[in-house]
Amino acid sequence: MYKKLLARVMIVCIFVTYMPSIAFAADGEVTDDSNSQIEMEIESGSTGGDLTQANTPETDPEPAPAPRSASAELGPIMIGSQSYDTLASAVAAAAIDDTITINAAGTYTLPDVPKNITIKGTVDGVVFSHTGTGNIANIPNGATFENVSFIFGNSKYHGFQHVGTINMKNCKFDGLFYSYGDMNFTDCTFKQTTEEYIMWAYGGDLTYKNCVFDFKGKCINAYNEAGTELNKLLFEDCTFKSSVSNEAAVNVKETCGSKALLYDVVMKNCTTEGQFPAPSKSDALEVISALVQVDDKLSAPTENGGEIKVTVDETLVYSTPKAVAKQYVAQVGETKYESLEAAVAEAQAGDTVELLVNASGNGIKLNKDITIDFGGNTYTVDGTTVGSTGTETQAFQLLKDNTVVFKDGTITSAKAKMLVQNYSNLTLVNMVLDGSQLADSNPYTLSTNNGQTVIKDTKIVAKEGMIAFDVCSFGSYEANKVTVEGSSVIEGKVELSSENEAVEELVIKSGDFSKAALVMADGGNRVAVSKASGVELEAPADYKWVAEGDMQKLVAKQYVAQVGDTKYESLADAVEAATIGTITLLKDAEGDGIFVAAADAKNITIDLNGNTYKVTGKAVGSTGTVSQGFHLEAGNTVTIKNGTITSDTAEVKMLIQNYCNLTLTDVAVDGSALAG
C-alpha cells in the first residue's frame, strides 16, 4: 500500500514539472507561450522597428528556459532568493540599494519607485511600455535600470518624473521621452523611426557613454523652459546615425522666449553616420558640425555671456557672447563716444574733442574747425587709413580752409605710411608725432602742403633715416608756412620742396634739431628758410646761413671758382685752397684781392675762362703797402690766362705786384679805373 501511494506522488510531481508555465494576470505577469519560451515583437513607429528578446534563434540557437512561477525556486521577479508575484510587490518590499531581478522576458508595468533600488533584467526582452501621456513612473529618490527596454510613443512631456539620479545601463529606448532630472546612460541604444526627437533634455545633468542613437533627422533636443539652472550634457564615445538630413545630432536651444537658457554641452570622441546638415550660421541658428547646433539664438550678447557652452574634443566651439560694456574713449561736451573717429564725426565746428584714455582705431579725416585734446593719452591708428582717392595711406588727413589744434598727447601708427597730412591751419601743442613705426619704406611723419602749421613744444619723430616733416606745395595750393617754436624736438629729416609757384616758408624760432637734417628736394630752393642764430642746424649742401637781423637766412651758395671737383664762392678762397693745378673762374666775379705768399710755394694756373675778375673788396700787399689787386711773392709759379683783370675800388692803386715766376696769356690787365 505504501509503495502504491509513493508511486502516485511521483507521477503527480513529474506531471507538474512538464506543465506549461502559469501566466500572471496581474501587474508583472507574463503570458504562457505553450513552448516554454517567450517571444515578443513590439511595433515601433511606421517602419515597424521593434524590440525583441535577445535569445531568439538568430542570436541564440538554444531555447530560453520557461519562466517559473512565483513559488518556484527562481521566480520571474526576485529580490535575492525571495520571489514576488508582481513587480509592484517587489518594489514595495525592497530596501534601499536592493536589486530586483526580472528573470523572464515580457512586458511589465513600471510602478512608482520610492527608494533608490536597482531593477535588472537577467534575460533580454524585459520591456516597460508607456505609449500614452503622462510620466511612466514617479522615481523621487533615483534608481538604476539594467538590461531592460523602454517603449515610448511620441507624446510630449512624458518620461521619468524624478529628483534623484536615474542610471541606465545596457538599456534600449524606442520613441520619445523627456528627462526631468539627472540621468546617466551607459552602453544604451536609442531608436526613433519618426521625424521626432529621441529625447528632450528637459532638465537635469545628463551623461551618455558608449551609446548609439539611430534616428530620422532629430535626436537630442536640449531645452529647459525654466532656464534657471545650468544643465550639463556629456556625450562620450557615442555614435549618432541619421537617415534624414534635418538637424545636427544635438540641438541646443539658447532661448525660451526672451530668456537665456543654461547648458554646458561636452562631446568627446563622438562620431556621426548617415545624413546631417552642413555647418552654417545665421542670426537664429548656428550649425557647428554634424554633432551639434545652437538654435533660437539670442538676438544680442548677454551681460555675463557663456550661458550656452559647447565643447567638442576639448575645443570650445560655441559660447553665448558676452555683452561688452561700452568703453568710452572720447568725449564732446557731455557726450561720450566709443571711438575717437565717432567723436570727431559728431563734433560741430569749434568743438573740442577730448581723448579720455589710450585708444586705437581708424584713421581720421578732418574737414571742420576743431580741437582735439589728447589729454596726455596716445591714439594709435591700427584700422582703416584715410586720404585722397588712391592714396588712403594716412593716419590723419586735415583738409584745406579749416583751423585744427592737436594738443597734449601722442599719435602713432604701424599701419599708416604718413602720420599726418596737413592742408589746414594746424597748431601742434605739446604733442608727440611718433612715426618711428610707419609702414612705408619712405614714410613721412608730418607732411605740410598748405596753410600755416605751428609746431610748438612738440616732438616729431621719423622712422630711422626718413622724413620728420616737410614743407612742400603742389597743385593749386598757394601758400604754405611752417613755424617751429618753444621746446620742440625734431628727429629726422626736414625736407624742402616745391612743385608750383606757391609762397613757402619755414621759420625756426627755437627747438632742438640736433638729430635733424635739412635736405633739399626738387624745388626746395623756392622755400624761404630762416632760423634763430641759437638753433644748431647744419645748412644743406650748396647752401649756407646768412645773418639777417636777429635771424639767419638760408641762401644758396654762389660759386665763382672751381679747383678739380670743388667749387668756391670766391676766387680768393679757390687760390688759397690750391697748391698745384688749375683754378677756373666760372663766371664774371668780384671780390677781394689775390695774395700768394712766398711760403705757399704754389704752382698754379688761374684760368679766367673768358670771364672778368674785378677786385672790389679788400686790397692786398706787403705790410704798409696794402694797395694791390694781386700780390704774387717769390717762390711761386703763377699763370693767369684767358680773361680780364680790373678794379675800380679806391683801395687798389696797383693791379698786379709781381715777385714770382708769372706768365700772362691772353689776359687783359685793365688798370684804367685804378685810384690814384
Side-chain angles (χ1 to χ4, degrees):
M1 181 66 179
Y2 174 77
K3 291 181 178 179
K4 290 181 180 180
L5 180 60
L6 180 61
R8 287 172 183 170
V9 171
M10 291 178 66
I11 290 170
V12 171
C13 291
I14 293 170
F15 174 76
V16 170
T17 302
Y18 286 94
M19 283 180 64
S21 298
I22 297 172
F24 293 92
D27 176 26
E29 298 179 353
V30 297
T31 303
D32 168 42
D33 62 1
S34 74
N35 292 313
S36 301
Q37 178 178 350
I38 292 181
E39 295 181 355
M40 179 176 58
E41 184 172 321
I42 301 168
E43 298 296 331
S44 178
S46 60
T47 62
D50 57 26
L51 290 171
T52 61
Q53 63 178 18
N55 55 345
T56 60
E58 289 80 359
T59 59
D60 186 353
E62 296 295 326
R68 296 175 181 268
S69 67
S71 61
E73 182 179 351
L74 180 62
I77 302 171
M78 301 189 71
I79 301 176
S81 60
Q82 179 65 48
S83 296
Y84 293 88
D85 292 338
T86 65
L87 181 58
S89 62
V91 169
I96 294 174
D97 295 331
D98 273 354
T99 296
I100 298 174
T101 59
I102 302 176
N103 306 300
T107 301
Y108 296 80
T109 299
L110 181 64
D112 290 344
V113 182
K115 302 171 185 175
N116 193 331
I117 61 174
T118 297
I119 298 175
K120 179 178 181 179
T122 61
V123 296
D124 290 339
V126 176
V127 177
F128 298 110
S129 179
H130 182 74
T131 58
T133 59
N135 292 304
I136 188 170
N138 183 21
I139 308 176
N141 295 304
T144 297
F145 295 86
E146 293 186 38
N147 194 35
V148 299
S149 299
F150 294 90
I151 304 298
F152 296 99
N154 286 312
S155 298
K156 295 184 182 297
Y157 306 108
H158 67 181
F160 301 91
Q161 185 69 43
H162 63 291
V163 176
T165 300
I166 294 180
N167 300 302
M168 299 288 184
K169 300 178 181 179
N170 193 30
C171 294
K172 298 179 181 179
F173 300 86
D174 191 294
L176 165 67
F177 69 101
Y178 284 54
S179 71
Y180 293 93
D182 297 347
M183 299 186 74
N184 300 314
F185 301 88
T186 303
D187 299 322
C188 295
T189 59
F190 301 80
K191 188 175 182 64
Q192 174 62 273
T193 57
T194 73
E195 294 189 17
E196 237 321 337
Y197 289 105
I198 285 176
M199 184 176 180
W200 280 47
Y202 203 62
D205 294 342
L206 306 178
T207 299
Y208 305 82
K209 293 186 177 181
N210 198 35
C211 295
V212 177
F213 302 84
D214 193 345
F215 53 97
K216 196 173 182 180
K218 294 182 178 180
C219 186
I220 304 293
N221 187 36
Y223 176 64
N224 183 347
E225 290 179 351
T228 55
E229 293 184 2
L230 174 66
N231 293 141
K232 298 180 180 181
L233 276 65
L234 171 63
F235 299 85
E236 190 169 352
D237 297 316
C238 294
T239 301
F240 300 90
K241 303 177 181 180
S242 178
S243 60
V244 175
S245 178
N246 188 343
E247 294 184 355
V250 179
N251 180 59
V252 185
K253 296 279 190 180
E254 192 167 44
T255 60
C256 175
S258 60
K259 178 170 52 183
L261 303 182
L262 304 172
Y263 278 100
D264 187 357
V265 180
V266 176
M267 310 189 83
K268 298 180 179 180
N269 196 33
C270 295
T271 58
T272 59
E273 299 177 12
Q275 300 182 49
F276 292 89
S280 62
K281 187 175 183 179
S282 67
D283 291 341
L285 172 66
E286 182 171 343
V287 180
I288 299 166
S289 69
L291 287 172
V292 63
Q293 65 183 39
V294 178
D295 195 8
D296 291 343
K297 292 170 57 180
L298 288 160
S299 58
T302 61
E303 180 179 355
N304 297 316
E307 284 81 358
I308 301 293
K309 289 184 179 179
V310 180
T311 303
V312 177
D313 294 331
E314 300 185 356
T315 298
L316 181 66
V317 296
Y318 184 86
S319 180
T320 300
K322 179 180 180 180
V324 178
K326 289 186 176 181
Q327 301 294 320
Y328 294 113
V329 303
Q331 183 170 337
V332 181
E334 298 300 319
T335 305
K336 295 182 179 181
Y337 298 87
E338 293 182 84
S339 71
L340 181 60
E341 180 186 20
V344 169
E346 292 297 320
Q348 302 300 307
D351 280 348
T352 295
V353 176
E354 298 176 71
L355 188 66
L356 304 176
V357 294
N358 292 333
S360 60
N362 293 330
I364 295 175
K365 179 181 286 191
L366 279 170
N367 192 17
K368 63 183 75 173
D369 293 349
I370 197 169
T371 295
I372 300 180
D373 183 351
F374 289 81
N377 299 302
T378 297
Y379 184 68
T380 302
V381 176
D382 58 4
T384 303
T385 50
V386 295
S388 303
T389 302
T391 59
E392 296 93 342
T393 59
Q394 299 143 27
F396 282 78
Q397 185 187 42
L398 317 180
L399 299 183
K400 180 183 177 184
D401 298 327
N402 297 293
T403 298
V404 178
V405 177
F406 289 170
K407 65 179 185 178
D408 300 329
T410 300
I411 300 172
T412 188
S413 178
K415 187 172 183 181
K417 297 180 179 180
M418 181 181 293
L419 203 61
V420 178
Q421 173 78 73
N422 182 50
Y423 304 102
S424 70
N425 294 318
L426 170 65
T427 300
L428 301 171
V429 181
N430 196 30
M431 288 293 296
V432 176
L433 302 187
D434 183 2
S436 61
Q437 302 300 317
L438 288 172
D440 198 27
S441 59
N442 187 35
Y444 288 67
T445 301
L446 168 65
S447 181
T448 68
N449 306 121
N450 183 72
Q452 297 194 36
T453 301
V454 176
I455 302 169
K456 182 178 181 180
D457 301 328
T458 290
K459 184 175 183 178
I460 300 178
V461 181
K463 192 172 184 177
E464 187 174 0
M466 296 297 111
I467 312 300
F469 73 87
D470 71 349
V471 183
C472 171
S473 188
F474 63 91
S476 61
Y477 298 113
E478 297 178 352
N480 183 25
K481 180 178 180 179
V482 178
T483 302
V484 182
E485 59 186 46
S487 57
S488 295
V489 177
I490 309 300
E491 296 182 3
K493 296 177 182 178
V494 178
E495 184 182 78
L496 309 175
S497 66
S498 178
E499 298 179 17
N500 59 15
E501 298 301 320
V503 176
E504 293 192 83
E505 187 176 2
L506 169 61
V507 179
I508 303 172
K509 295 181 177 180
S510 58
D512 181 356
F513 284 77
S514 60
K515 296 182 180 180
L518 196 59
V519 296
M520 287 285 177
D522 292 345
N525 60 303
R526 293 195 289 272
V527 180
V529 182
S530 60
K531 72 176 184 70
S533 58
V535 174
E536 296 294 330
L537 178 61
E538 186 176 345
D542 299 331
Y543 285 82
K544 62 182 178 180
W545 296 107
V546 176
E548 189 176 81
D550 295 334
M551 302 289 285
Q552 292 179 331
K553 181 179 180 181
L554 184 70
V555 297
K557 291 181 177 180
Q558 300 298 316
Y559 295 115
V560 300
Q562 183 171 343
V563 179
D565 294 329
T566 304
K567 294 180 179 180
Y568 298 88
E569 292 185 88
S570 71
L571 181 59
D573 289 341
V575 170
E576 183 178 0
T579 300
I580 189 171
T582 299
I583 301 160
T584 303
L585 190 66
L586 302 176
K587 60 182 180 180
D588 291 342
E590 298 178 354
D592 292 338
I594 306 300
F595 186 94
V596 180
D600 294 342
K602 297 178 182 291
N603 186 355
I604 59 174
T605 297
I606 300 175
D607 184 355
L608 299 175
N609 196 29
N611 299 302
T612 298
Y613 183 72
K614 186 176 184 179
V615 179
T616 57
K618 296 179 180 179
V620 293
S622 302
T623 302
T625 58
V626 182
S627 58
Q628 300 140 26
F630 282 69
H631 182 87
L632 311 176
E633 293 189 344
N636 297 285
T637 300
V638 177
T639 298
I640 303 174
K641 65 180 184 178
N642 301 330
T644 301
I645 297 172
T646 187
S647 178
D648 60 0
T649 179
E651 294 183 11
V652 176
K653 299 178 180 179
M654 180 184 296
L655 204 53
I656 298 175
Q657 173 71 70
N658 180 50
Y659 301 101
C660 73
N661 296 321
L662 174 63
T663 301
L664 299 174
T665 304
D666 296 328
V667 176
V669 181
D670 182 3
S672 60
L674 290 176

